[in-house]
Amino acid sequence: MKDLYSSIASSYSSLAKLVFGQALSQAKVFFIEPSISKNLLIIGGGDGVDYQDFSAQLQGDYWEISSSMLDLAKQNLEQSALAFHLGDFGQPKKSGYDEVWLHFVLDTLSDLELVSFLKKVKALVKPDTLIHLVDFFPPQTLRQRVIQFAMMQFFRIATSHPRNDIPDYEQHLDSLGFEKVKEKTWKNGWIRSQMWKIKDTFPPLSE
Ligand SMILES: C[S@@+](CC[C@H](N)C(=O)[O-])C[C@H]1O[C@@H](n2cnc3c(N)ncnc32)[C@H](O)[C@@H]1O
C-alpha cells in the first residue's frame, strides 16, 4: 500500500498548529476522558501527537494506512497500551469497542469510501459505543473558505486528497442509523467535535 503521507508526516502537526493554532488539538481532546479506562478503536490517528499528554491511559487498537504516520504514533504514544496496526481497519483485531475515534479522517475519503468506511465501523460497535467524530465542516466565512481551498489544493498535491469539498457526515451517519448525542464547535462551526451512537430503534445492517 502506497504511503500517501510520507512527504508530510514529520511536519504534519507543526503545519496544523501554524495554520490553526490550538483549535484542532482542542477539538480532538475536548470530549476525551482519560481518567476512564476504555477499549478504543482509533482509525487514522496520524502521528498521535495530540494524545501524548494522556498516552499512558490509552488502550485498544490504533490503525493507520500511512507507515510514516504509524511509526511516529508508535514513538509519540510509546507509554500507551495501544496495539498499533498498519493497514485498513477492515479486519479488526477485536470488537466491542467503547469508543471509536475518527479525527480528521472522514474528510480525506470520497463519498463512496466514506459510506463503506462507516459501514465497517458500524459492524464493530456495540449499542453503547460512542463514535467520536472531529473534523472540518463547511466553512462559515470568506476567510475560512480561502484557507480551506488552499489547504485542499495542498493536500491534493501532497497526499492525492480526493475531494474539493467537505463530506456531509451528518447525512451519512444518520442514514446508516447513528444519532448525534453531543457537539462542541470552534471557529463558528467550521471545526466540530461530535459524539454519535447507534439509534436505539435502528435495525441492524442487512449486508
Ligand atoms: C488528515 S490525517 C489526520 C491525522 C490525525 N487524525 C490528526 O487529526 O492529526 C488523516 C489520516 O488518516 C489516515 N487514514 C486515511 N484512511 C484510513 C483508513 N482507512 N484506515 C486507517 N487510516 C486511514 C491517513 O493515513 C492519515 O494519517
Side-chain angles (χ1 to χ4, degrees):
M1 185 182 303
K2 190 164 186 281
D3 181 356
L4 296 175
Y5 281 76
S6 59
S7 61
I8 59 162
S10 58
S11 48
Y12 180 89
S13 285
S14 314
L15 274 174
K17 286 195 173 49
L18 193 68
V19 179
F20 296 101
Q22 294 303 315
L24 306 191
S25 315
Q26 285 170 1
K28 281 185 245 184
V29 303
F30 187 77
F31 284 126
I32 293 176
E33 301 162 308
S35 56
I36 303 173
S37 170
K38 288 178 184 155
N39 181 22
L40 299 172
L41 172 60
I42 303 174
I43 308 172
D47 61 14
V49 160
D50 291 318
Y51 315 135
Q52 259 178 323
D53 286 351
F54 47 88
S55 61
Q57 277 73 50
L58 299 177
Q59 56 184 306
D61 290 312
Y62 196 105
W63 283 93
E64 248 304 330
I65 51 170
S66 159
S67 56
S68 39
M69 284 291 203
L70 190 69
D71 288 345
L72 291 168
K74 284 179 186 169
Q75 290 166 29
N76 291 328
L77 304 176
E78 65 177 349
Q79 307 215 324
S80 76
L82 290 163
F84 293 93
H85 312 285
L86 178 64
D88 188 61
F89 68 101
Q91 291 161 341
K93 302 292 176 199
K94 293 188 221 111
S95 60
Y97 296 102
D98 299 313
E99 280 185 16
V100 181
W101 293 1
L102 307 176
H103 297 174
F104 299 99
V105 60
L106 295 187
D107 70 325
T108 69
L109 307 175
S110 69
D111 280 346
L112 270 178
E113 291 169 331
L114 193 151
V115 170
S116 142
F117 183 107
L118 289 176
K119 282 184 177 173
K120 285 192 286 182
V121 168
K122 188 170 180 186
L124 298 176
V125 301
K126 329 176 257 164
D128 61 347
T129 301
L130 289 169
I131 309 293
H132 188 198
L133 167 65
V134 184
D135 223 315
F136 291 103
F137 280 68
Q140 303 297 309
T141 64
L142 177 62
R143 182 169 182 275
Q144 291 176 357
R145 279 199 290 280
V146 171
I147 294 174
Q148 183 160 289
F149 177 79
M151 190 168 67
M152 277 185 182
Q153 300 317 304
F154 171 76
F155 277 100
R156 286 174 72 84
I157 294 165
T159 70
S160 304
H161 180 79
R163 314 188 61 102
N164 280 312
D165 61 356
I166 296 289
D168 190 344
Y169 320 101
E170 299 203 347
Q171 186 266 320
H172 289 300
L173 283 161
D174 179 70
S175 63
L176 286 169
F178 292 95
E179 65 183 341
K180 188 169 54 180
V181 289
K182 276 195 237 179
E183 178 177 65
K184 163 86 177 149
T185 66
W186 286 260
K187 298 192 181 289
N188 302 327
W190 186 25
I191 297 158
R192 300 185 195 189
S193 179
Q194 301 180 331
M195 287 293 196
W196 292 75
K197 66 181 272 296
I198 291 182
K199 286 178 202 168
D200 291 336
T201 54
F202 208 80
L205 273 183
S206 52
E207 27 175 9

